[in-house]
Amino acid sequence: MMKSVKWLRGIAAAAILFLAGPVFADDDNGFSEHQTKRAVDTFEAASAACATLDPVFRVDCLRQAYSQTVRVVANASVYWEAEVALTRVNRGLYAFVREHLDRNVARVRVNGGRIKAVTPASVPVAQQLYRDGVDRAVAAMRGASSLEVRYFEPISQALLATKSMMQ
């Protein structure tokens, strides 16, 4: 009885490895063009809506664009370096908005969220903070392995395209 159980376990293990072989193939690294495109499309759609706003609202709007994009890349663990880079920008913008919030201006609804305004005097500081954050995020994504860079480059390009929006 014990011998036949061991034999059946061996057969089952062999069958699992045979059938799951394509799942564990060397060329399946977890990255996908589809996942990268979803991240880029999410960021570009959200940031395009931000471009139509007054500069005092753009900081929080872009923060929300980063937040939405982080949620997309968080679904694939191999994108963790991009997720960390995007999260750093998001958190920097969040802290800035909290510190420089203009309480005299009503929030506006954009991309399904309520966008807060910063004080007009803080906009030049926000612009520099944003440019520096984008540069750091792009450097982190471009400093990854060559395989990661291949999938992170479209995301980096989308980030770089928004730098002029904060000028």
Side-chain angles (χ1 to χ4, degrees):
M1 174 78 175
M2 196 65 151
K3 198 173 189 177
S4 62
V5 170
K6 287 182 182 179
W7 184 79
L8 286 174
R9 281 186 191 161
I11 295 291
I16 288 172
L17 288 175
F18 175 76
L19 295 173
V23 173
F24 299 117
D26 290 336
D27 61 342
D28 183 14
N29 50 40
F31 289 102
S32 75
E33 300 289 337
H34 176 71
Q35 184 72 10
T36 299
K37 183 175 177 358
R38 281 187 55 225
V40 169
D41 289 349
T42 299
F43 184 76
E44 287 178 343
S47 62
C50 298
T52 64
L53 299 173
D54 289 333
V56 294
F57 289 104
R58 285 187 195 151
V59 180
D60 195 35
C61 186
L62 285 168
R63 180 201 59 80
Q64 288 191 10
Y66 277 85
S67 182
Q68 291 170 1
T69 308
V70 165
R71 279 185 248 135
V72 170
V73 297
N75 291 330
S77 62
V78 294
Y79 285 79
W80 73 270
E81 286 188 54
E83 179 183 358
V84 168
L86 296 170
T87 299
R88 284 186 183 138
V89 177
N90 180 28
R91 287 184 180 164
L93 295 175
Y94 177 78
F96 185 86
V97 170
R98 285 188 57 131
E99 187 176 326
H100 296 75
L101 182 64
D102 190 345
R103 299 187 191 292
N104 298 323
V105 178
R107 296 178 181 185
V108 296
R109 202 170 257 307
V110 178
N111 293 335
R114 295 183 62 204
I115 307 299
K116 303 170 192 166
V118 297
T119 61
S122 69
V123 171
V125 177
Q127 291 168 336
Q128 188 59 46
L129 174 78
Y130 185 72
R131 287 190 299 265
D132 292 345
V134 168
D135 289 341
R136 281 192 301 278
V138 168
M141 287 190 279
R142 287 181 173 169
S145 73
S146 61
L147 177 63
E148 290 169 323
V149 169
R150 174 180 163 207
Y151 290 94
F152 294 169
E153 185 59 25
I155 300 169
S156 297
Q157 291 298 322
L159 301 183
L160 288 170
T162 63
K163 276 178 68 171
S164 64
M165 184 187 312
M166 284 299 290
Q167 293 180 11

